[in-house]
Amino acid sequence: MQALYAQLLVGLINGSFYALLSLGLAVIFGMLNIINFAHGALYMMGAFVAYFLLNLGGINYWWALIIAPVVVGIFGMILERTMLQWLAGLDHLYGLLLTFGIALIVQGVFQNYFGSSGLPYSIPDQLKGGVNLGFMFLPVYRGWVVVFSLVVCLATWFLIEKTQLGAYLRAATENPTLVRAFGINVPRMITLTYGLGVGLAALAGVLSAPINQVRPLMGADLIIVVFAVVVIGGMGSIMGSIITGFALGVIEGLTKYFYPEASNTVVFVLMVVVLLVKPTGLTGRAA
Amino acid sequence: MKNTISALLLGTALVLSVASVASADDKTVKIGVLSDQSGLYADLAGPGSTLAAQMAIEDSGLKAKGWTIDLISGDHQNKPDIGTTIARQWFDVDKVDTIVDVPNSGVALAVNNVVKEKNGVYINSGAATSDLTNAQCSPNTVHWTYDTYMLAHATGQALVKAGGDTWFFLTADYAFGAALERDTTAVVTANGGKVVGGVKHPLNTADFSSFLLQAQASKAKIIGLANAGGDTTNSIKQAAEFGIVKGGQKLAALLLFLTDVKAIGLETAQGLNFTETFYWDLNDKTRAFSKRFSEKLKSGAPPTMVQAGVYAGLLHYFKALEALGGNPHDGAKVIAKMKTIPTDDPLFGKGEVEANGRVTHDAYLFEVKKPSESKGPWDFYKLVGTVPGNQAFTPLDKSTCALLKK
């Protein structure tokens, strides 16, 4: 029984990465209607920026948590301005293909310069060590990841669903012409939203740098699972992606305990089941 | 009429003589480096293996003696179907004679069958499974650098003798992991130890915490990592995070490469014991080669044992070709020649190619240095012991290779 509690907690930790990443995807899909396949590459860039900040500039983890999302977010906004904005109104497929191409290029460039085996990034001194919970040894850093991502997820949800700015945003996706008539700069809002989604991916990258290797393919390995999370939760639903992210982390953790060989596929099995029963996803609205 | 006949005869004679000259002088060879060029084993093999092959071609001196040697490389992406497709195309369309490297045991075993079917030459350096020279041995295969039997015996035995008599395995769920776990289990039990449990994880897993918690709960003295590359580095890094080593359990990295230690960082990796058959800083010859190698490799890294094995394996292959004097296209014949010549190269020293295709040379037990002991960016290993070649690998009387039964 103790082992089970431990696995639940570990699942929750992984779930926080899924939640943060799928949240960014949901924001981008909900507001821009773009299936952002570059998300994994941008997550990877977040981890690399943290690595460069530490090793080239001596800037520590805490600053990286702020600087990396901003840097990668700006990169994302440049992408949106120069490429993605031309796809507005076209079929989803174009956005998917373009962002997939961007992901391949970004990963290829990083792999070319940094190889594939990864770079070390250590846990910040303040978060080293662990606590004995009785049923498991919880590394302090992992606890921090859960709490921090939960706060970020809820703050994002609040921003989009409960504030004036969020209301404008949601209105702009429903009827851009009308919102523009009220004197709101819709294109700029879209760009900032993409920057926000990308920033969330980069933030997850910084969080993951100390526990996984900083590797060019770290995003590529994760992105497929995250997409499954978004599909299960319902494309574009903010709360849906947060809850599904955490829930799937837990389910995956349990699978690792009961039948480890299936741990890489359980998410997709679930996706198939959900799509068969409810094609719009658990919390998605019908298109 | 008479003139026509004599002209025909003359022509035929000319054609025949040209043909016979051509076959006696056939000194064209094509070598394919089949590797993981972009995935989790790309740093320990990949582009570095291609470079090692190029250097072997240059250093063999065969070109100066009139040989034409071409080199191509391919990316098997760690998928057996892609590996065999490339291998087939190389033999059928590109007229490749020899395939080298092929890390990833799953791909390596699949390619083994293709090379045998096409009567090519297969010099494997990157794969670990000892099946290549046992149950699945082939007259067309030489297994150069290391294998699971050697890793299990060198590392496993040393750890059991040092008191690590209960084991829990974290095993990569494919041919390599299974072979390594099987071979290590045999060593552990033969030396009076016991395996108390294990877990099979999918290849390329980012998060090991669930598995590590199970290993922790098992209370085994040794946690055996029957995985490689990114899987091993993630396991070690996260084991440190969960306080496993501090809690009194010991990690056995059954397979650890130079590039893995670099990725983990000495802070976390220090004190790990493991086995390799090559290290760049072993002696003057290995240092000289490594210097040349790292100057040419884009990342500036010294060679791993897999890359060193590609170089040494090809050098020995070229010796056999030279001894044969030409006609390099009958793979089984070339391999048979390789088995008659003792191996001796600057990187692995003296050894031999045994009848089952296994190459024997010394293996070394290393320990990862403390950060304070390391003097340079790649100064990672402390030599703690040497296992002579004839003890490190499967003894011939225990090999299950069918080639040995006559």
Side-chain angles (χ1 to χ4, degrees), chain A residues 97-121:
Chain A
L97 289 174
L98 178 63
T99 51
F100 186 57
I102 292 170
L104 290 181
I105 293 168
V106 170
Q107 278 161 10
V109 168
F110 273 82
Q111 202 161 29
N112 197 24
Y113 284 99
F114 305 103
S116 61
S117 50
L119 305 162
Y121 189 95

Side-chain angles (χ1 to χ4, degrees), chain A residues 6-7 10 14 111-112 115-118 120-121 123 137 139 142 209-213 217 221 256-257 260-261 263-264, chain B residues 38-39 42-43 173 199-200 202 204 206-207 209-211 213-214 233-234 237-238 241-243 259 262-264 298:
Chain A
Q7 297 298 340
V10 163
N14 279 333
Q111 202 161 29
N112 197 24
S116 61
S117 50
Y121 189 95
I123 296 174
F137 179 91
R142 302 248 171 179
I211 41 183
N212 298 314
Q213 296 293 336
L217 292 180
D221 297 338
K256 279 181 179 165
Y257 180 67
E261 288 89 339
S263 56
N264 269 16
Chain B
S38 55
D43 281 356
D173 193 11
V199 59
K200 290 193 167 28
N204 219 355
D207 183 72
S209 36
S210 288
F211 308 129
L213 286 176
Q214 294 174 48
T233 55
N234 275 336
K237 206 175 164 184
Q238 292 166 11
E241 206 192 325
F242 278 90
T259 43
K262 176 82 173 171
I264 302 167
K298 200 170 56 193

Side-chain angles (χ1 to χ4, degrees), chain A:
Chain A
M1 208 55 211
Q2 290 197 339
L4 201 63
Y5 290 140
Q7 297 298 340
L8 282 172
L9 191 56
V10 163
L12 211 58
I13 296 164
N14 279 333
S16 39
F17 286 106
Y18 295 159
L20 265 186
L21 284 169
S22 59
L23 176 66
L25 277 177
V27 169
I28 291 171
F29 182 76
M31 307 297 143
L32 280 74
N33 258 327
I34 283 174
I35 300 174
N36 189 33
F37 243 93
H39 218 65
L42 297 161
Y43 158 81
M44 175 269 288
M45 283 176 75
F48 267 95
V49 170
Y51 175 84
F52 293 139
L53 286 173
L54 185 67
N55 288 282
L56 302 179
I59 299 164
N60 69 22
Y61 172 83
W62 303 102
W63 282 108
L65 275 181
I66 302 166
I67 299 173
V70 171
V71 170
V72 181
I74 290 171
F75 176 77
M77 288 193 264
I78 295 170
L79 282 184
E80 201 276 336
R81 280 284 92 182
T82 52
M83 291 187 251
L84 291 170
Q85 67 153 329
W86 308 110
L87 302 177
L90 293 178
D91 193 275
H92 296 321
L93 203 56
Y94 291 93
L96 188 153
L97 289 174
L98 178 63
T99 51
F100 186 57
I102 292 170
L104 290 181
I105 293 168
V106 170
Q107 278 161 10
V109 168
F110 273 82
Q111 202 161 29
N112 197 24
Y113 284 99
F114 305 103
S116 61
S117 50
L119 305 162
Y121 189 95
S122 42
I123 296 174
D125 288 338
Q126 297 89 334
L127 297 176
K128 275 191 177 147
V131 199
N132 197 341
L133 299 180
F135 60 91
M136 78 175 283
F137 179 91
L138 176 70
V140 173
Y141 186 80
R142 302 248 171 179
W144 152 256
V145 167
V146 177
V147 175
F148 184 74
S149 354
L150 211 56
V151 170
V152 172
C153 284
L154 292 178
T156 313
W157 170 81
F158 186 80
L159 178 74
I160 289 172
E161 301 287 341
K162 299 287 169 199
T163 63
Q164 180 94 46
L165 182 69
Y168 286 152
L169 255 177
R170 280 175 289 130
T173 55
E174 292 292 327
N175 193 337
T177 331
L178 189 68
V179 173
R180 198 170 293 161
F182 286 129
I184 291 167
N185 187 338
V186 174
R188 187 199 290 159
M189 217 153 97
I190 297 277
T191 309
L192 286 173
T193 310
Y194 190 74
L196 170 74
V198 167
L200 285 171
L203 185 65
V206 181
L207 279 181
S208 107
I211 41 183
N212 298 314
Q213 296 293 336
V214 178
R215 290 184 303 126
L217 292 180
M218 62 192 283
D221 297 338
L222 202 59
I223 193 70
I224 305 293
V225 178
V226 175
F227 265 100
V229 170
V230 176
V231 171
I232 295 173
M235 292 291 297
S237 157
I238 307 284
M239 199 37 114
S241 60
I242 298 173
I243 294 170
T244 324
F246 279 102
L248 281 188
V250 171
I251 291 172
E252 201 186 49
L254 291 180
T255 318
K256 279 181 179 165
Y257 180 67
F258 288 111
Y259 190 63
E261 288 89 339
S263 56
N264 269 16
T265 39
V266 63
V267 173
F268 304 103
V269 174
L270 272 175
M271 183 174 86
V272 171
V273 173
V274 168
L275 287 181
L276 283 174
V277 178
K278 197 162 181 286
T280 51
L282 292 177
T283 57
R285 295 154 295 189

Side-chain angles (χ1 to χ4, degrees), chain B residues 10 18 45 63 66 109 118 133 135 147 170 177 194 211 215 239 254 258 308 310 317 342 371-372:
Chain B
L10 190 66
V18 168
K63 279 192 168 169
L109 289 170
K118 304 286 180 188
T133 53
D147 66 26
L170 288 192
K194 199 174 148 216
F211 308 129
L254 294 166
L258 190 69
V310 167
Y317 167 71
S372 58

Side-chain angles (χ1 to χ4, degrees), chain B residues 53-206:
Chain B
Q54 273 161 357
M55 291 174 72
I57 293 172
E58 286 157 25
D59 295 354
S60 73
L62 281 192
K63 279 192 168 169
K65 292 172 187 158
W67 288 72
T68 311
I69 306 171
D70 289 327
L71 186 74
I72 55 174
S73 67
D75 185 1
H76 63 49
Q77 299 172 34
N78 293 305
K79 297 189 178 102
D81 53 333
I82 295 184
T84 48
T85 308
I86 294 176
R88 275 180 201 288
Q89 190 196 322
W90 278 359
F91 283 118
D92 294 341
V93 182
D94 300 309
K95 303 296 170 208
V96 161
D97 299 293
T98 299
I99 291 183
V100 288
D101 199 10
V102 200
N104 186 320
S105 295
V107 184
L109 289 170
V111 169
N112 192 41
N113 291 330
V114 179
V115 180
K116 190 177 174 187
E117 178 193 321
K118 304 286 180 188
N119 191 24
V121 170
Y122 188 24
I123 304 169
N124 188 297
S125 174
T129 176
S130 59
D131 289 355
L132 275 176
T133 53
N134 283 298
Q136 305 214 36
C137 74
S138 143
N140 298 75
T141 300
V142 164
H143 196 185
W144 196 275
T145 310
Y146 69 109
D147 66 26
T148 50
Y149 178 95
M150 180 282 275
L151 296 170
H153 279 254
T155 314
Q157 208 156 332
L159 286 169
V160 178
K161 281 188 176 156
D165 53 1
T166 48
W167 285 61
F168 184 96
F169 284 103
L170 288 192
T171 305
D173 193 11
Y174 71 110
F176 150 70
L180 188 50
E181 184 183 334
R182 178 196 64 206
D183 290 352
T184 313
T185 303
V187 174
V188 169
T189 45
N191 287 278
K194 199 174 148 216
V195 176
V196 296
V199 59
K200 290 193 167 28
H201 68 78
L203 178 67
N204 219 355
T205 293

